[in-house]
Amino acid sequence: DLIKQLKGLKEIKPRNEWVLLTKRQILSEESGVSVRHSMSNIFAVFQWKLAFAPVVSVFIVIGLFGFANTTVPGDFLFPVKKAAEIAQIGLSLTSEKPEVHLRLANRRLEELSSIAETNKVRNLAPAIKEFQDSITEAVNGLSQSDSATLKDLAAETQKMEVTKQRIESVLGIQIGGETGKFENQLIGYLISDLEKRSLSEEDQKLLAEAKKYSEAGDYTLSLEKILVLMNQ
């Protein structure tokens, strides 16, 4: 009898309503699992991007400053280079600022030399203006310089004058701006500093020559005599 009953169960079929309901439930669960899985993947990718965003930003900034460092006044990325220079000036001591400005002026001269060699005519005016602005800033801070800084300024100024004369010869124009005023004031401070020292008779002759050249407007020769005295 039991075997007959079991065989009879095989012939029993579920109602269509039950089959449809069960199918809907199964499909609904599968859909929910799929959505949750997709959302989990999206969230994981988003977290990954957030984690690496600072690293990517650092590389972009480094690359930007790297490109900007090769620019000259008038180029698109030059303001980035200029911003770094302004930060350098801001971090310098008051007594060091004239020397920093003078070094920047020499950098502008090097850029002018590059501009002249590559015939970038549109960059000439911005580069000359940047050079003159740096000299003006150096003049404004000169009175704050100490004896050690003045010596460094003398050497840097001599280098600047040689480069400036060469570039003016190539371009056929004067780019001095306040260069003469700066050199005149600097030599005045240097001579005043040297007069406070105990000088030998020979050194006093060199100092007198430096004064004579300075009064004649020949600042290059005047600086040469002064540097000889300061390096003894």
Side-chain angles (χ1 to χ4, degrees):
D1 290 338
L2 180 60
I3 292 171
K4 286 181 181 180
Q5 289 176 2
L6 290 172
K7 287 181 179 180
L9 289 173
K10 291 181 180 180
E11 297 176 0
I12 297 173
K13 295 181 179 180
R15 289 180 300 170
N16 290 334
E17 293 84 352
W18 183 84
V19 172
L20 292 173
L21 179 62
T22 304
K23 188 181 291 186
R24 285 197 194 98
Q25 289 178 341
I26 293 171
L27 290 175
S28 176
E29 289 177 1
E30 289 179 351
S31 176
V33 170
S34 177
V35 169
R36 286 194 297 272
H37 183 67
S38 299
M39 290 299 294
S40 177
N41 287 340
I42 292 171
F43 186 67
V45 171
F46 184 69
Q47 282 185 316
W48 181 84
K49 288 184 176 180
L50 282 177
F52 281 90
V55 178
V56 174
S57 299
V58 168
F59 278 109
I60 290 173
V61 170
I62 291 173
L64 190 64
F65 274 99
F67 282 117
N69 198 43
T70 62
T71 62
V72 297
D75 287 345
F76 178 70
L77 286 178
F78 180 75
V80 177
K81 181 178 180 179
K82 183 73 174 178
E85 292 175 349
I86 291 172
Q88 179 188 359
I89 294 167
L91 293 172
S92 303
L93 297 173
T94 302
S95 60
E96 296 174 345
K97 291 187 189 297
E99 185 180 358
V100 175
H101 284 296
L102 196 58
R103 285 178 179 172
L104 291 177
N106 273 326
R107 185 181 296 177
R108 298 291 90 90
L109 286 176
E110 291 170 3
E111 291 165 354
L112 266 169
S113 179
S114 174
I115 289 168
E117 289 172 2
T118 54
N119 200 29
K120 292 183 177 180
V121 179
R122 68 179 182 85
N123 295 88
L124 277 176
I128 291 172
K129 184 180 183 305
E130 288 290 338
F131 166 73
Q132 293 174 344
D133 288 348
S134 294
I135 292 295
T136 300
E137 291 297 330
V139 170
N140 293 338
L142 195 53
S143 61
Q144 304 295 325
S145 302
D146 53 28
S147 297
T149 304
L150 287 173
K151 180 180 177 181
D152 293 335
L153 282 171
E156 198 71 24
T157 301
Q158 189 180 45
K159 172 186 172 184
M160 178 193 69
E161 189 59 35
V162 171
T163 308
K164 182 174 73 69
Q165 288 179 6
R166 176 174 56 82
I167 292 172
E168 286 177 338
S169 176
V170 172
L171 296 177
I173 58 174
Q174 297 294 313
I175 61 173
E178 291 199 325
T179 306
K181 180 180 178 181
F182 173 78
E183 292 174 335
N184 184 39
Q185 288 190 14
L186 174 62
I187 290 171
Y189 285 122
L190 289 166
I191 289 174
S192 177
D193 184 65
L194 286 167
E195 286 177 335
K196 297 174 185 176
R197 304 183 187 184
S198 178
L199 300 175
S200 65
E201 187 176 342
E202 189 66 29
D203 289 344
Q204 287 176 0
K205 288 181 181 179
L206 280 174
L207 184 58
E209 289 179 8
K211 287 180 181 179
K212 183 182 69 174
Y213 286 126
S214 176
E215 290 167 358
D218 194 337
Y219 302 124
T220 303
L221 284 176
S222 182
L223 281 171
E224 283 182 8
K225 303 297 181 182
I226 289 171
L227 281 170
V228 170
L229 285 169
M230 299 191 81
N231 289 325
Q232 288 180 356

